[in-house]
Amino acid sequence: MSTSRRLLSIAAVTTAGLVAVALTFSQDVAAARPVAPDGGPSGGGPVAALAAIPAQVSDHAASLVGHVKASQAVRVTFGIKPRNLAAAERFNAQVQDRKSPLYHHYLTATQWNKRFAPSAASEQAVVKWARANHLTITQRYPNRLLVDVTGTAAALESAMHLTINNYSLHGRTLFSNNRAPQLPSSISSVVSSVDGLNNFAQLQSAGTNTAKFKSYSAGPVAHLHTSAHANGSRAKLRAALALKHGNVSNITGGSYDPTDIYSSQAYDENALHAQSSCCNPAHLAGGSPAATSIAIATAGGHQLSDMQGFQARYPYLAYYYNEIYIDGTPTCCDGEGQMDLEWSTAMSNSFGSYLDTAHVWLYSGVNAQFSTFNDIYNRILTDGHAKIVSSSWGCAEYYCTSDGTMNTEHNIFVAMIGQGYTLLNASGDRGAYADCSHVSVSFPASDPNWIGVSATNLELNNGPQYVSERAWPANSSGCASNGGGGGGGCSAKYSVPSWQTGTSSFCGTKRAVPDLSLNGDWFNSPQNLYVNGAWQGNGGTSIAAPEFAGFIAQENSYLLTIGNACGSGTSPCAPLGQGGSNLYRAAQSHGAGGLNPFYDITSGCTSNNAGSGYCGIAGYDRATGWGTVNMLQLAWAMSYWAMPEASPPTVSITGPATNTYYPSGTLSWTVFDNGSPTPSGVAGWTAKWDADPGNPTSHATPGSGDSFYSGPASAHGSTSGSISLASAGNGCHTLYVRSWDNIGESSVKTYGPVCYDATAPSTPSGGLATFVRGTQVNGGKVPVRISWGASTDSLSGVRQYNVYQSTDSGSFVPVGSTSNSYLDVALAPGHVYQFEMAAQDNAGNVSSFDTAAKFHVQLVNERDSSVAYTGAWTGQNVSSALNGKLKYATAHHATAKFTFSGKRVAWVTDVGPARGSASVKLDGTAAVTVSENATAAAPRTLIYTSMFNGGTHHLLLDNQATAGHPRIDIDAFVVLAPA
């Protein structure tokens, strides 16, 4: 079979009662496949098979070194078929169907095993055969889905009628069976896979830091290695957040901190923290319950000092974790699992006692072989310590992961879902090419029992402040080095699950990946990781998946506080379980009142050096799924779709009589949630004078400033409040109290107007002269805005402000009146101006004057010596320009540097449909892009303005030569300087 086209095949050969099942891997040319609707390659894949022979062995790509030592120990796992997989999957569908009486009535492990586990006879047949062939049974499980054996190479060869050799491939020595295992028909009929006979096909980490693994390590299949914990501090969290809000650089060491990701400028976990009592709401003595605990499925060992180092920088974090070694003692230290541990902990934290933070169980395999991960998954299921599972390891369907292995692990996942687990997997860091050669998706993210999480590039500035977000693009390290962008595409194996709606236009009847995304671009927007005693910036889909696992821990904690009010009104709300139906309803039908918790990512593509990928587009896409999330709104939306009630809470308000002035007084209110049949409970309220606090249904991007980002202002669960009339200020006011329940339903109640009069009119203050972007220089006069602090009036309210102007130290003369706290004036350059203003109330009373500082207006034309040009600039006579002339450039990086002294500056130019954009830097600070492009032409426009302290400054304009619109113009600059 040629190396250019190695197709998966199933060959069944019966010899003396033995059945041989073989697998080779396909290397179809991906470029020959059609293009998907969003511009990426389509899915598809080869046929299924059961047991694996590595393609590199079957087609001789790997060089034979020689026979392994006969005494070499090898671990092998036998996957055993459950009795009725279809029935188990039907049960799982019902347990996630809110209309079903089974909703969230998950089975215990004992119940699941009794109904669906492989028969005892099937397991016993494998055990008996193994022992008869001198293989040691190292682990049997109550669910009988696996039988673990260890044997010498000689014993395995004899038992399965094959040879195990060493092979050389790309400088590495690997071992493999040379032919398909031959099993008695009584065994092959009950076995779904035989894993461990080679270490060619191993799961790949979605991260960039992995340990070198052992092919074998002696010891038990599972043993506890480490248990460690430390308390956090909410006071230290408040201090850290205060530093961020103080505009201290958010990029510690060039990478994001947890508080940056918590921010509403990212994924709004701060607001969720205020609602969710993460992650032990009942304060159980032993720590968080299984519903809010997290299991990390990973490979390689870890050291406590790394977690201690992470918490030393972020002392507000509590942590509580156990590490369980799987299949022996792994090599230390693996950065992948360490990243998952640190960031799942960061995203599911109590900021207090370690007993209240999410307990993380780190299942660390001795290597990344499929046999090891079989044991990891089934050990997580058997232990039952944590109902949330996160893994950042996967492998391309068929090209890396055999059909038999996928079947074995799928059986384990089905059992997990039936017992209330939520499974999160990184979709891969290789774009549309999970194996960097073929259009493919990564398993197990492609398995419909998992939620596949991809990555974006989230750009934040100091503060932090949101800048932009796009699908994670490939970087220079390329696909093979986990720099290929967020993974996604269409499963070749799995049909679209019933809950995954809205993706058929991309994948037809097949499962689409991913489901959602979070920041993970380790090249452009890394997050801090402490591993092997040092700090580094890292990310990938492998940081996004455990972060979302942290969100699920918080959501389960929230659901635990709601109690048994889901389904028809009496089902347990927690644990969430698979949750895909709730997630997709939240994305498409949204939550209460139409609240959409997703930020749709509509730019960026995942193409890499392996080939074209997928792009962010409106709605679902295979680059980012539904996009990224506002975690408060997603928690509410997922809870909304778990509950039958959809009634908002109600508010009643009492206070002084309306339409009458009072020198003092108090308004009080109570909140009641009257949902039926069982209310979700009051989440909180926000009170505001004279305006509804609002309940925005969505935002295109992260940000701040309203309840979508902040949630209720009150403490979670608060059902009453009060406010003084004095807090409204002078005049007549109406109080708005908006309340929310725990599924995001909201209502508002008003009371008023109530009137307050206790002080005399005040004087306006803080007169300030600024430029306003978009205004025009007309008649040779420069538009300047004079603004001031608003005045208040004790009784009738301020009617207007009277503004006076002095020119060149002359007398003050009136220039206008306005009801605004600013006045736009046109001033001739070359003069010194001073303004004063007084407030006038509706009764005609005038306050004392506030006099602003003097300032000088300067206009500098484009030919002035203070403007230095580089590159090609051309002068042009333009009648509409100041002085009838301007300069323009079309060359990329043609620059103009304006040197001046003052406190305000503006660039004056013309705008229009034929103009491009420039990068603008003031005094070497971060550049901003300023576009001259506009639908309609307009001359002498202040296109860029800035304000700063006095002194000498440099304004640098750098032409970006925008495609199709390369031209930028300079007409003049205007400056306001202290006089």
Side-chain angles (χ1 to χ4, degrees), residues 367-379:
N367 53 43
Q369 293 170 208
F370 292 113
S371 54
T372 303
F373 269 80
N374 291 345
D375 286 338
I376 291 172
Y377 295 136
N378 210 30
R379 193 71 204 188

Side-chain angles (χ1 to χ4, degrees), residues 377-444:
Y377 295 136
N378 210 30
R379 193 71 204 188
I380 292 172
L381 174 59
T382 300
D383 288 348
H385 296 313
K387 295 289 187 178
I388 304 162
V389 181
S390 176
S391 182
S392 298
W393 295 80
C395 219
E397 290 182 342
Y398 295 117
Y399 299 113
C400 176
T401 313
S402 74
D403 190 71
T405 299
M406 288 190 281
N407 291 339
T408 289
E409 295 188 351
H410 179 79
N411 296 338
I412 297 171
F413 305 152
V414 168
M416 286 178 164
I417 297 304
Q419 295 171 50
Y421 286 69
T422 304
L423 312 180
L424 297 313
N425 195 265
S427 66
D429 292 2
R430 298 168 179 85
Y433 299 81
D435 68 341
C436 292
S437 297
H438 306 88
V439 176
S440 53
V441 292
S442 179
F443 173 88

Side-chain angles (χ1 to χ4, degrees), residues 104 210 220 233 262 341 370 408 510 547 664 771 792 890-891 915:
H104 279 195
T210 56
S233 168
Y262 296 162
L341 170 62
F370 292 113
T408 289
K510 292 298 185 179
E547 284 181 350
S664 63
F771 295 123
T792 58
T890 59
R915 299 296 183 265

Side-chain angles (χ1 to χ4, degrees), residues 79-355:
I80 305 180
K81 299 175 184 178
R83 274 173 294 171
N84 196 332
L85 180 62
E89 292 187 316
R90 284 195 298 272
F91 171 81
N92 288 356
Q94 291 176 307
V95 85
Q96 290 300 132
D97 181 357
R98 192 177 70 177
K99 297 179 180 180
S100 168
L102 294 177
Y103 186 69
H104 279 195
H105 287 286
Y106 301 107
L107 299 178
T108 65
T110 300
Q111 290 169 334
W112 193 93
N113 295 342
K114 184 177 181 180
R115 290 178 61 175
F116 302 118
S119 68
S122 295
E123 181 198 39
Q124 187 57 39
V126 174
V127 170
K128 182 178 179 180
W129 170 86
R131 286 173 174 164
N133 284 276
H134 310 292
L135 303 176
T136 301
I137 306 299
T138 55
Q139 186 70 60
R140 297 169 68 178
Y141 297 88
N143 59 34
R144 298 189 290 275
L145 288 169
L146 291 180
V147 171
D148 293 347
V149 307
T150 298
T152 63
L156 289 167
E157 289 173 329
S158 175
M160 289 185 270
H161 304 276
L162 47 78
T163 301
I164 302 177
N165 294 320
N166 284 324
Y167 297 87
S168 177
L169 182 69
H170 305 310
R172 298 177 60 201
T173 299
L174 303 167
F175 72 87
S176 176
N177 50 312
N178 70 333
R179 56 177 294 180
Q182 294 182 339
L183 301 173
S185 58
S186 60
I187 303 302
S188 64
S189 63
V190 300
V191 168
S192 54
S193 72
V194 180
D195 290 302
L197 291 174
N198 76 81
N199 63 350
F200 275 81
Q202 298 193 34
L203 282 82
Q204 299 166 321
S205 165
T208 58
N209 296 295
T210 56
K212 292 184 177 179
F213 301 130
K214 307 172 183 177
S215 60
Y216 174 83
S217 174
V221 169
H223 70 279
L224 177 65
H225 170 63
T226 303
S227 180
H229 56 76
N231 293 328
S233 168
R234 193 163 290 275
K236 291 179 180 179
L237 173 65
R238 288 193 294 268
L241 292 171
L243 286 175
K244 297 293 181 181
H245 295 160
N247 205 32
V248 173
S249 174
N250 61 293
I251 307 176
T252 304
S255 301
Y256 297 148
D257 304 319
T259 45
D260 300 312
I261 303 303
Y262 296 162
S263 167
S264 66
Q265 302 292 332
Y267 305 126
D268 207 34
E269 187 165 319
N270 284 330
L272 180 56
H273 289 160
Q275 298 295 313
S276 168
S277 180
C278 186
C279 280
N280 187 9
H283 302 291
L284 301 175
S288 63
T292 59
S293 297
I294 300 170
I296 303 293
T298 189
H302 309 85
Q303 54 190 359
L304 172 59
S305 58
D306 283 342
M307 192 64 194
Q308 292 171 329
F310 189 73
Q311 199 227 18
R313 175 173 283 183
Y314 308 119
Y316 47 82
L317 295 175
Y319 67 81
Y320 188 14
Y321 82 93
N322 286 23
E323 182 170 21
I324 296 175
Y325 283 167
I326 300 296
D327 288 352
T329 301
T331 302
C332 190
C333 296
D334 175 58
E336 179 56 72
Q338 190 64 37
M339 178 193 296
D340 294 5
L341 170 62
E342 290 173 2
W343 280 91
S344 62
T345 294
M347 299 298 281
S348 55
N349 216 268
S350 68
F351 310 108
S353 169
Y354 75 91
L355 290 172

Side-chain angles (χ1 to χ4, degrees), residues 761-764 788-793 798-803 818 837-842 844-850:
S762 66
T763 303
W788 50 86
S791 299
T792 58
D793 184 78
V798 175
R799 184 178 71 192
Q800 65 185 31
Y801 298 92
N802 302 321
V803 184
T818 177
M837 59 290 302
Q840 183 177 355
D841 66 15
N842 286 302
N845 300 310
V846 179
S847 72
S848 58
F849 283 88
D850 179 76

Side-chain angles (χ1 to χ4, degrees), residues 41 65 79 101 143 168 340 391 402 409 425 468 486 567 608 631 680 714 729 773 852-853 901:
V65 174
N143 59 34
S168 177
D340 294 5
S391 182
S402 74
E409 295 188 351
N425 195 265
S468 65
N608 58 38
M631 290 189 176
S680 65
S714 73
R773 183 176 179 181
S901 296

